[in-house]
Amino acid sequence: MSPRIEELPQNDHDPTGAAPDRTTSAGPVSEHLGPVRSWAGLRHLLVRLHFYAGVLVAPFLLVAALTGLAYTLAPQLDALVYGDQLRVERVGGETRPLAEQIAAARSAHPEGTTMSVTTPPGPEDTTRVVLSVPELGDKQRTVFVDPYTAEVQGELTTWFGSTPLTTWLDDLHRNLHLGETGRLYSEVAASWLWVIVAGGLVLWLGRSRGRRAKSARGVLLPDRTAGGVRRTRSWHAATGVWLALGLLFLSATGLTWSQHAGERFGQALDATNGRAPALDTALPGGDAPAGDHAEHAEHGGSGGEAGDADPAAFAAALTAARGAGLDGTVEVTPPADPASAWVVAQTDNVWPVHYDQVAVDTTTGEVVSHNRWAGYPVLAKLSKLGVQGHMGVLFGIVNQIVLAVIALGLTAVIIWGYRMWWQRRPTRTDRTALAGKAPERGAWRRLPLTALVLGIPAVAALCWALPVLGVTLIGFLMVDAMLGAARRIRTT
């Protein structure tokens, strides 16, 4: 890598449009002394990182944005496609007893065992009786019952509460229907999104060309008086500033349940006692260990050898939970074995959320243990709320609109980024190319030794915490090194 940096009449290599620093990066450099080290070299490194990360990761981000946009419409699509199952024909007065509703569902669908029952979220919604059917694998059969008439309105193959359409859209966004291997695409997008956003903000806010760059208007609004690549750059950057907070939120929350970074996050929760407390489901005098049955991890349906659970026991567990203060929509789950209690858990994911849980001994009607949402560790609360916000559930329709705007905005930013690359291409007849030239190599050579000493261990630690970021970064560096070597061979 040559320390010599080509001086350009205009700084088209910098996506922020900042004027070149001619005293350190493009100024006179002694061939014997090497490049001058200064903190200005950090900007040149960010320019190159932002360029390559944008060009190479943008396709992953574009797919994530478009599939995420489709997922934000899931509630409305569910209502359109599955309205007959999800909604009652007519809102009545008194609801039928829960045991009668369950009995009607089991009469219509005697297969499998009753895994759980979810009460209606609203007066126009149906009761959901979830059946564990062995041939469905990790999916369930959900029977929808009109709570006012106890009539079965239909059934769907669901995945822990999600309809077939929502499940399909969720898999599309998460793994492109490619299984565990496909999850790498979304983790690449989430791992690099915050890097691209943070780097872009630093470059845009730190530019120095003209008074406009120092004004709020120049930061937040595009420059409509500019033309060509400068106009496109201003739209790209100003829109990115408006989207930055939302994009950083999506990156962070997406990483918490990703395949590899999510494992690291889980280790951090364990080390800080930040996980949600497990509900103690052991009955007094029993030997069963505690377990968090409300999260579907250990649902055994009806207790195995004993056969299907008695519908009256569901009603008894619900009555005890209501007496303990669990209002709203709840999920009632039978015990996994005779030594364990029934679990009743609130499942209200819309703010203000309700996630209290109780374990109930239906033989006595007593609540034997209680988990209060208010007592959850802060990290557990943030993780839970972050997931619901990421899925567009936490704040209802407002949450969906915000996510849709972010997805559309990110799509526009990506398109403008590629347009800039195309606009910067050489147009002379003797120097044509499909796209603009990449920023010059060797920026790290101009960094102060302090930055290298502190930065290299920090990047190594970051790559350990985000393994996919680390692997792809190493891949980028290897490709860049090979391209540099090939270029030197051609010029010698």
Side-chain angles (χ1 to χ4, degrees), residues 113-115 132 293 296-305 307 333-337:
T113 55
T114 308
M115 183 176 182
S132 176
H293 294 275
H296 300 286
E298 299 294 333
H299 281 176
S302 60
E305 300 288 337
T333 305
D337 53 66

Side-chain angles (χ1 to χ4, degrees), residues 136-222:
L136 294 181
D138 64 346
K139 295 184 178 180
Q140 302 82 40
R141 177 161 296 145
T142 299
V143 184
F144 300 86
V145 182
D146 187 329
Y148 304 104
T149 65
E151 293 180 357
V152 174
Q153 295 199 185
E155 59 85 20
L156 294 172
T157 298
T158 57
W159 186 69
F160 297 114
S162 296
T163 67
L165 178 57
T166 296
T167 302
W168 190 89
L169 291 173
D170 177 66
D171 284 343
L172 179 67
H173 179 60
R174 187 165 36 144
N175 58 36
L176 300 179
H177 295 283
L178 298 175
E180 290 301 307
T181 302
R183 291 182 66 185
L184 289 173
Y185 114 84
S186 57
E187 188 161 356
V188 168
S191 297
W192 280 96
L193 178 57
W194 70 271
V195 177
I196 296 173
V197 172
L201 284 175
V202 170
L203 292 174
W204 186 243
L205 297 176
R207 65 205 167 113
S208 58
R209 179 185 290 173
R211 281 189 236 171
R212 181 180 171 84
K214 301 299 183 183
S215 67
R217 180 181 178 86
V219 170
L220 299 175
L221 297 177

Side-chain angles (χ1 to χ4, degrees), residues 28-47:
V29 176
S30 169
E31 294 292 338
H32 300 286
L33 296 178
V36 177
R37 294 184 180 274
S38 77
W39 286 102
L42 181 60
R43 179 181 185 83
H44 293 276
L45 183 63
L46 283 177
V47 169

Side-chain angles (χ1 to χ4, degrees), residues 317-328:
L318 178 62
T319 299
R322 295 299 192 203
L326 271 67
D327 55 3

Side-chain angles (χ1 to χ4, degrees), residues 62 65 235-236 239 243 406-418:
L62 183 60
W235 278 98
H236 172 85
T239 305
L243 298 176
I406 292 175
L408 291 171
L410 178 58
T411 301
V413 167
I414 292 170
I415 293 173
W416 283 322
Y418 279 118

